[in-house]
Amino acid sequence: CHYSMKKAASFLGIGTENVYFIKTDERGKMIPEELEKQVQRARKEGSAPFLVCATAGTTVLGAFDPLDKIADICEKHGLWLHVDASWGGSALISRKHRRLLHGIHRADSVAWNPHKMLLAGIQCCALLVKDNSGLLKKCYSAEAAYLFQQDKFYDVSYDTGDKSIQCSRRPDAFKFWLMWKALGTMGLEERVNRALALARYLVEEIKKREGFQLLLEPEYANICFWYIPPSLRKMEDGPEFWQKLHQVAPIIKERMMKKGSMMLGYQPHRGKVNFFRQVVISPQVSREDMDFLLDEIELLAKDL
């Protein structure tokens, strides 16, 4: 899950040790059977589990948890199902790719950031709840009479500041509405489809080039790959090889930044040494840009 879940447990006073992490498979998807085991374990330890956080589009691998199976477990045990779809939620806009979020309609709450894949102005965040009884106002309202007077001449339901944690939150909904009016539903859908088509193009180009190696076949816009420089290509697979490969991405990134040509993220992950992570979003990006990315890596690493 995203590190914000651990932070939230800390801020709320629940304590980070009361966050139970669920094992994921090799693609980074939550394993439903492991969730069931952890629910049982928590109850045996005298705890009272109440919330499951699934992720639709993880930060590094772009993984989508099996929401339907997780929802079954939540219904069985009476647990609130929250889906962090901050990154992957925009796939719902696309008829071609919305299958990635199959089962999300069963969630009790969903977090979604249109400022990511849809490129709304930062920041643009939404918390969607299925409960329509004014749940957020019940939870967060402090009824500050000096701010939210109930005897105004207009409809006071428009005063939404009392139903969020941050009173002075920016009007994120307006940014999304304005963008939607400008681009239309088809325009937003095309934005998602184009990004994922370019991601697929980059994947196919990586497969063609010597020295490039995918970590896994991506299902979203996160393309994770290693670049194996000439000096390592004939080296045996072993601890020394991976130790040397771990140092490659940081050096290439440093050279990119000093040259001023690109900034490409990298990180280690679950025992895997440093690899590059290209996330395709912008509708301004072209196939030529994808080619340049790979060419530049080869150019900057030819002496490694």
Side-chain angles (χ1 to χ4, degrees):
C1 68
H2 193 268
Y3 70 86
S4 58
M5 291 305 297
K6 202 169 179 181
K7 271 192 168 183
S10 178
F11 292 159
L12 289 167
I14 292 168
T16 56
E17 289 184 7
N18 289 311
V19 179
Y20 288 63
F21 291 93
I22 315 301
K23 288 180 184 174
T24 55
D25 62 18
E26 69 283 350
R27 296 191 60 84
K29 299 171 182 284
M30 187 189 293
I31 303 169
E33 294 77 13
E34 293 295 326
L35 171 61
E36 177 70 40
K37 283 181 193 173
Q38 290 287 57
V39 173
Q40 302 288 1
R41 177 192 147 205
R43 291 205 163 132
K44 281 178 186 172
E45 291 175 353
S47 298
F50 66 94
L51 166 75
V52 172
C53 178
T55 310
T58 58
T59 306
V60 177
L61 300 181
F64 288 76
D65 286 339
L67 301 180
D68 246 344
K69 291 181 179 178
I70 293 170
D72 287 342
I73 294 169
C74 289
E75 283 183 11
K76 174 183 169 185
H77 294 285
L79 306 173
W80 182 283
L81 174 57
H82 173 71
V83 177
D84 176 358
S86 299
W87 168 223
S90 295
L92 285 171
I93 301 288
S94 166
R95 286 166 291 184
K96 183 177 180 181
H97 299 290
R98 62 178 50 154
R99 56 183 168 71
L100 290 167
L101 293 111
H102 181 73
I104 197 169
H105 63 286
R106 299 175 67 187
D108 295 292
S109 58
V110 174
W112 174 43
N113 289 354
H115 70 236
K116 292 181 178 171
M117 176 62 83
L118 295 183
L119 290 177
I122 286 180
Q123 87 180 21
C124 185
C125 307
L127 173 63
L128 310 172
V129 291
K130 186 174 285 185
D131 184 291
N132 60 6
S133 67
L135 178 67
L136 296 180
K137 191 152 181 134
K138 288 179 200 170
C139 289
Y140 300 132
S141 175
E143 298 181 350
Y146 58 91
L147 284 177
F148 306 109
Q149 299 90 346
Q150 299 301 296
D151 54 357
K152 291 173 182 169
F153 68 91
Y154 57 82
D155 182 355
V156 294
S157 68
Y158 289 112
D159 290 342
T160 58
D162 207 22
K163 73 173 186 180
S164 66
I165 294 175
Q166 323 99 290
C167 171
S168 301
R169 182 176 178 183
R170 294 172 181 176
D172 289 9
F174 177 70
K175 298 174 197 174
F176 180 58
W177 176 85
L178 193 63
M179 181 179 69
W180 200 349
K181 291 289 281 185
L183 297 176
T185 302
M186 297 291 284
L188 293 178
E189 181 178 27
E190 176 56 28
R191 187 162 278 189
V192 176
N193 289 345
R194 178 178 168 77
L196 291 173
L198 277 171
R200 175 46 48 187
Y201 172 80
L202 180 59
V203 167
E204 296 308 315
E205 290 303 305
I206 284 172
K207 290 177 181 177
K208 293 177 189 174
R209 298 202 186 202
E210 187 181 6
F212 289 88
Q213 183 180 327
L214 286 168
L215 261 75
L216 75 171
E217 194 73 32
E219 60 181 347
Y220 199 43
N222 306 46
I223 299 97
C224 300
F225 63 95
W226 286 292
Y227 179 67
I228 303 166
S231 66
L232 297 183
R233 287 177 198 168
K234 292 180 181 178
M235 194 172 174
E236 278 188 38
D237 186 344
E240 188 182 355
F241 168 80
W242 291 108
Q243 185 182 358
K244 286 181 180 294
L245 185 60
H246 186 61
Q247 299 167 40
V248 170
I251 293 171
I252 296 175
K253 173 74 178 276
E254 179 185 351
R255 291 178 177 183
M256 284 175 181
M257 293 181 71
K258 287 181 175 176
K259 182 180 176 182
S261 59
M262 285 195 307
M263 284 182 69
L264 180 59
Y266 71 85
Q267 69 280 302
H269 186 66
R270 294 182 66 178
K272 290 182 168 58
V273 302
N274 281 325
F275 55 86
F276 288 115
R277 175 172 57 99
Q278 171 61 39
V279 179
V280 181
I281 303 178
S282 173
Q284 304 290 332
V285 171
S286 65
R287 288 188 171 195
E288 289 74 24
D289 293 317
M290 300 292 98
D291 294 336
F292 173 77
L293 183 149
L294 301 180
D295 290 342
E296 188 71 356
I297 290 172
E298 287 181 323
L299 177 67
L300 295 174
K302 63 184 179 183
D303 62 334
L304 295 181

